[in-house]
Amino acid sequence: MPDARRDHRGDAVTRATTRMLKRVVTSFGIGRLSGLVLLGLLVALRIVDPVAVERVRLLSFDIFQRISPRETGQFPVAILDVDDRSISELGQWPWPRTTIADLVQKAMEAGAAAVAFDIIFSEPDRLSPDKIALDNPDLPGPIRDSLAELQPNDVVLAEVFANARVVVGQTSVRGGVISQNVAAQNVRQVPHAFLGPDPTRFLLKFPELVQNLPELEDAATGRGVFTVLPDPDGVYRRVPLVMMVQEALRLSLSIELLRIATGGQAFAVRSNDAGIDGVVVGGQLIRTEADGSVWPHFSYSDPNRFISASDLLEDRVPPGRLAGHLLLVGTSAIGLEDFRPTPLGVPMAGVEIHAQLLENVLGNQLLIRPNTAEVREMVFLVGMGLLVIGFAPLITARTLIFSSLVLIGGYIAFTYYTYVGRNVLTDPSYPTGGTILLLMLLSGSNYLREEFRKRQIRGAFGQYVSPDLVSKLADSPEALRLGGDRQDLSVLFSDVRGFTAIAESFRDHPRALTQFMNKFLTEMSNEIMECGGTIDKFMGDAVMAFWNAPMSDPDHARNACRAALGMLAAVRRVNEKSREDGAEERTLDVGIGINTGTCFVGNMGSDLRFDYTALGDPVNLASRLEGQTKSYGVPIVVGEETAITVKGDFALMELDLIRVKGKHLPERVFALLGFAEMAQSDRFLAMVAANDRMLAAYRSGQWADAKTCLAQARDAAQAVGLDIAGYFTLFEDRLADLGQNPVPDGWDGIFDATSK
């Protein structure tokens, strides 16, 4: 029994928890919950920081530098360049070490503060006299002995190094093969101190080091590593200032040059529990990232930084040009392939990267990527994400997109300001990209929710109301109420004449009759819909449609006329198909009535069943005008308001002044016969003029003149090619009857229609 009670309590707790979760989901919204889940995943992804995310972040930093690169200034930094011209003048590389010695000697004589080599001399000079004597045993003995007695070139270079402030370059390899004598050299420690906890666990570590010949290492004043590692995309953006090589600390080549030039005192590494904070050289603190690297603020390559090595050797350098300068010896020769991709999108000689780093340090222009940058960027992401999640379901899509663009644009502007104004690198890509993903998710969620709601409305009402009304109700569910509004409409009624005879031809195939009428009504509907009309209802073989509701249509009268003429063209296509099928008895004849006026349009009916329709006198008159098409022998009859509105755009001819059944006021009615091309033709204008004269004579009781004008109008109609003989026959019969009697008292020419 206790177990049963525990199981019952457990089930109750499960049910209560489920109900609570449902309430939370219902009240908070599935879109917001999915947004919070996505936001959490984005934060987790940023913490993991895969290579793809890092590449996008680095590319955004590159874009900043390309938009606003560092401006070059007047810094005491120069590059002694082993360029293509120097190689052309002095011979192929490598040059004899005596030439290098001359280069250093002349640089020091020109007043250089110190010289650093972005070149390594790890093997003996193959052009040294003793090397030539050893490698050429066939030389005459006296010559070989003389060469062997000469001082080796490497010793000459070492003596020059010993009497100058020279920093030799060193490089690192990872798993590479290096000569045994180089690997066996001891790695000398550079004097240093620690400010804070031991920083070695944070530093970049290189297990092997390629050094210069021992005599050159011993003679040099300083030793710096010129190795720079590219980022995952192969671009060189960061330079380590301090690193571990074979358990010894080393400064980068340019910073070691600065240390030697400022007295050669020990450097200090300042650190905290988060990593390296900076390196102190020559009394100046250089702020670094946690691993001891810095971000140079690059400028485009400047020819003023370079001095051709041949110019210095040939005494072509202006006096004072090198005085007090820090010199880096390297190469920009194309054949030596020492070029590196940079954030500016253009390759740069490796020695110039070191020169630019030195300029950054001297000008306090290094870019800063604080240790707290990642945390700040995640705070921005979470903040912007919560704003989007909070407001997305409450505002319109347009407002959401606009406000999100303002938010994202403001953040990007902030990151660019921190770059330009403070040299601080703040990632614009991940927070904005994450916000855009959240915006897309929530917009998609809102869209799906709206589509689901619209499908519910369409499913509920699609069988009872017109498609246009369904769309309007889907957009505005609050419109599901009885009532309507006053609106100017153009109303069209059409009906098939002689439908009974057509139906009899299908008496043995009732299903075929349904298919035939469906195809016909589809043709009619297509013409109405293509002209922007709303199909109100089908009444057997009849169609009612109107324009300017539920969607606004300033040209509703013209569109109604255009649809009517299109419907006649569709009838001709259907009849042509029937004749091709040998079913002449199934040809159709359609009458169409159009009228324009102020109607009452909206949801009409009961609380249980209603329809979107139009009511009013203009609607009734349109229906009556459709009924008069048979009497007047024309396919389309339009009311006076419609005719006035579309005059000039369509071929119209006045028919009569009639008082339709059920109305007291007369209505001037017109036949719609064609488009503007017909209306502008001379023959049509002649027909209309003759018809107008006939009607004027008819209304004034001048029967003879009316008959004459009627004949002229008939002839003109034949010239135009219009088949409206029924109209002319109607007036011939009227005039024949009236001509036998005097003009009736009170004659006004108004015809009282007795049929609908």
Side-chain angles (χ1 to χ4, degrees):
M1 189 66 177
D3 292 339
R5 283 197 297 270
R6 280 196 298 271
D7 292 342
H8 179 73
R9 286 196 299 270
D11 293 341
V13 170
T14 301
R15 289 193 296 272
T17 303
T18 302
R19 287 195 298 270
M20 181 183 69
L21 290 174
K22 287 182 178 179
R23 284 196 296 270
V24 169
V25 171
T26 302
S27 61
F28 197 74
I30 189 66
R32 284 175 169 169
L33 287 177
S34 59
L36 287 176
V37 171
L38 176 59
L39 183 58
L41 292 175
L42 289 171
V43 171
L45 183 65
R46 181 62 185 86
I47 293 173
V48 175
D49 200 24
V51 172
V53 173
E54 182 183 11
R55 284 190 175 187
V56 175
R57 179 170 65 251
L58 294 174
L59 179 59
S60 66
F61 295 156
D62 293 351
I63 292 173
F64 282 170
Q65 293 211 56
R66 293 174 191 178
I67 294 174
S68 181
R70 180 176 64 89
E71 295 182 3
T72 57
Q74 298 298 321
F75 296 104
V77 178
I79 298 171
L80 285 178
D81 188 15
V82 181
D83 56 2
D84 289 311
R85 182 159 63 88
S86 296
I87 292 175
S88 175
E89 292 181 5
L90 302 177
Q92 68 179 21
W93 184 265
W95 294 334
R97 301 285 160 80
T98 52
T99 302
I100 303 298
D102 290 342
L103 189 69
V104 174
Q105 188 67 39
K106 285 182 175 291
M108 299 308 295
E109 291 173 356
V115 178
F117 280 88
D118 186 34
I119 299 168
I120 193 165
F121 306 106
S122 60
E123 301 290 342
D125 185 1
R126 62 181 177 83
L127 300 176
S128 183
D130 59 325
K131 184 67 173 172
I132 294 174
L134 183 64
D135 293 340
N136 295 274
D138 295 334
L139 287 173
I143 296 176
R144 190 171 62 252
D145 294 341
S146 298
L147 289 174
E149 292 175 357
L150 293 176
Q151 195 174 31
N153 289 356
D154 293 315
V155 174
V156 174
L157 181 60
E159 290 178 354
V160 173
F161 279 5
N163 295 309
R165 290 180 295 277
V166 174
V167 176
V168 291
Q170 299 174 336
T171 187
S172 65
V173 292
R174 288 183 177 272
V177 178
I178 58 178
S179 61
Q180 184 175 0
N181 66 312
V182 174
Q185 292 183 52
N186 294 325
V187 178
R188 299 169 178 79
Q189 286 281 6
V190 178
H192 63 272
F194 293 154
L195 303 177
D198 183 3
T200 56
R201 59 193 175 102
F202 300 107
L203 294 172
L204 293 175
K205 296 177 176 60
F206 299 98
E208 295 173 332
L209 185 68
V210 178
Q211 303 184 73
N212 296 271
L213 294 171
E215 55 265 43
L216 299 180
E217 291 280 343
D218 293 339
T221 312
R223 299 149 198 89
V225 176
F226 54 74
T227 300
V228 179
L229 298 179
D231 284 316
D233 57 358
V235 178
Y236 290 77
R237 299 182 182 88
R238 287 172 278 194
V239 178
L241 291 195
V242 59
M243 64 212 76
M244 291 287 296
V245 287
Q246 293 184 210
E247 306 304 321
L249 261 67
R250 274 288 184 276
L251 290 174
S252 69
L253 180 68
S254 53
I255 303 305
E256 176 71 355
L257 174 61
L258 178 63
R259 184 183 75 85
I260 295 302
T262 54
Q265 300 299 315
F267 71 91
V269 180
R270 196 172 81 172
S271 61
N272 51 43
D273 292 335
I276 311 298
D277 182 55
V279 176
V280 180
V281 177
Q284 177 183 357
L285 173 64
I286 307 171
R287 302 295 294 271
T288 68
E289 286 199 290
D291 63 356
S293 298
V294 292
W295 298 72
H297 193 175
F298 284 92
S299 63
Y300 285 101
S301 184
D302 186 356
N304 293 324
R305 291 193 183 102
F306 294 85
I307 298 171
S308 177
S310 61
D311 285 346
L312 181 60
L313 290 171
E314 299 297 330
D315 298 322
R316 294 194 293 256
V317 177
R321 172 66 177 85
L322 300 182
H325 277 59
L326 305 176
L327 301 185
L328 288 154
V329 182
T331 178
S332 67
I334 300 299
L336 299 183
E337 299 180 350
D338 188 32
F339 283 84
R340 303 288 183 265
T342 65
L344 299 179
V346 292
M348 186 176 295
V351 67
E352 190 172 8
I353 293 177
H354 292 288
Q356 292 219 34
L357 171 60
L358 202 50
E359 291 178 357
N360 273 254
V361 171
L362 294 175
N364 195 25
Q365 295 174 316
L366 285 169
L367 297 175
I368 303 169
R369 178 77 174 151
N371 293 341
T372 59
E374 293 184 6
V375 176
R376 291 192 303 170
E377 288 157 5
M378 281 192 283
V379 169
F380 281 124
L381 170 63
V382 172
M384 293 192 296
L386 290 177
L387 285 175
V388 172
I389 292 170
F391 287 99
L394 306 178
I395 56 180
T396 64
R398 181 179 300 177
T399 304
L400 175 63
I401 293 174
F402 176 77
S403 57
S404 298
L405 289 177
V406 171
L407 184 66
I408 292 171
Y411 174 72
I412 293 175
F414 166 75
T415 61
Y416 184 69
Y417 165 75
T418 60
Y419 162 74
V420 173
R422 302 173 58 191
N423 280 357
V424 174
L425 292 174
T426 305
D427 180 19
S429 61
Y430 198 78
T432 57
T435 303
I436 291 172
L437 286 176
L438 285 169
L439 179 63
M440 293 171 61
L441 173 67
L442 293 169
S443 298
S445 175
N446 289 347
Y447 174 78
L448 292 175
R449 185 175 65 249
E450 289 297 315
E451 283 298 306
F452 178 73
R453 184 168 61 89
K454 290 178 181 180
R455 282 197 297 270
Q456 286 183 313
I457 293 173
R458 290 189 181 101
F461 297 97
Q463 302 180 44
Y464 307 105
V465 297
S466 68
D468 285 330
L469 176 59
V470 172
S471 297
K472 183 177 181 181
L473 293 177
D475 293 334
S476 304
E478 64 275 7
L480 282 172
R481 57 179 178 82
L482 292 177
D485 301 299
R486 291 173 62 84
Q487 183 77 21
D488 288 337
L489 302 181
S490 289
V491 185
L492 177 150
F493 279 86
S494 75
D495 196 9
V496 176
R497 300 171 186 166
F499 179 70
T500 302
I502 295 174
E504 286 180 356
S505 69
F506 287 96
R507 60 181 177 272
D508 296 328
H509 306 283
R511 180 174 296 179
L513 174 62
T514 302
Q515 294 174 347
F516 177 78
M517 290 307 299
N518 284 344
K519 291 180 181 178
F520 165 72
L521 292 174
T522 298
E523 292 281 351
M524 299 294 101
S525 301
N526 288 341
E527 297 297 332
I528 293 171
M529 302 295 277
E530 287 179 5
C531 294
T534 299
I535 298 176
D536 184 298
K537 60 178 68 72
F538 296 102
M539 299 160 288
D541 58 321
V543 180
M544 174 186 172
F546 50 81
W547 280 258
N548 204 33
M551 300 301 174
S552 176
D553 183 1
D555 292 330
H556 53 88
R558 294 179 181 83
N559 285 330
C561 293
R562 192 175 295 111
L565 292 171
M567 292 167 72
L568 290 184
V571 170
R572 288 193 291 271
R573 292 195 297 270
V574 172
N575 289 339
E576 183 178 350
K577 182 66 168 58
S578 296
R579 285 191 290 270
E580 291 175 355
D581 295 340
E584 293 284 345
E585 71 280 5
R586 296 175 185 173
T587 56
L588 299 169
D589 189 13
V590 174
I592 301 173
I594 302 174
N595 191 41
T596 300
T598 302
C599 306
F600 193 74
V601 60
N603 297 322
M604 312 295 176
S606 67
D607 290 337
L608 299 178
R609 173 74 167 87
F610 56 84
D611 197 3
Y612 187 81
T613 190
L615 300 176
D617 185 64
V619 178
N620 296 332
L621 180 56
S623 177
R624 298 292 189 270
L625 294 181
E626 181 277 317
Q628 294 302 314
T629 57
K630 185 175 183 180
S631 300
Y632 285 92
V634 293
I636 305 173
V637 176
V638 302
E640 184 174 15
E641 185 66 27
T642 304
I644 293 172
T645 303
V646 304
K647 184 177 181 181
D649 296 325
F650 295 91
L652 297 169
M653 184 182 75
E654 185 177 349
L655 295 176
D656 206 353
L657 187 62
I658 67 172
R659 186 181 291 110
V660 298
K661 189 174 182 180
K663 285 181 62 69
H664 298 290
L665 298 176
E667 177 77 14
R668 196 179 303 271
V669 295
F670 296 78
L672 175 62
L673 301 173
F675 292 97
E677 294 83 1
M678 179 184 290
Q680 296 166 4
S681 67
D682 294 338
R683 292 179 178 180
F684 182 80
L685 293 173
M687 182 194 73
V688 171
N691 184 71
D692 290 343
R693 292 194 300 271
M694 183 275 291
L695 290 175
Y698 169 74
R699 289 164 185 164
S700 63
Q702 299 174 14
W703 316 129
D705 291 344
K707 289 180 180 180
T708 301
C709 294
L710 183 63
Q712 295 172 351
R714 180 191 287 271
D715 293 340
Q718 291 176 350
V720 175
L722 290 172
D723 183 14
I724 52 174
Y727 167 72
F728 297 115
T729 301
L730 171 67
F731 270 91
E732 285 175 352
D733 293 342
R734 284 191 193 177
L735 291 172
D737 292 339
L738 291 170
Q740 298 175 2
N741 302 296
V743 177
D745 294 337
W747 170 255
D748 54 9
I750 298 174
F751 179 76
D752 289 310
T754 58
S755 63
K756 296 183 178 181

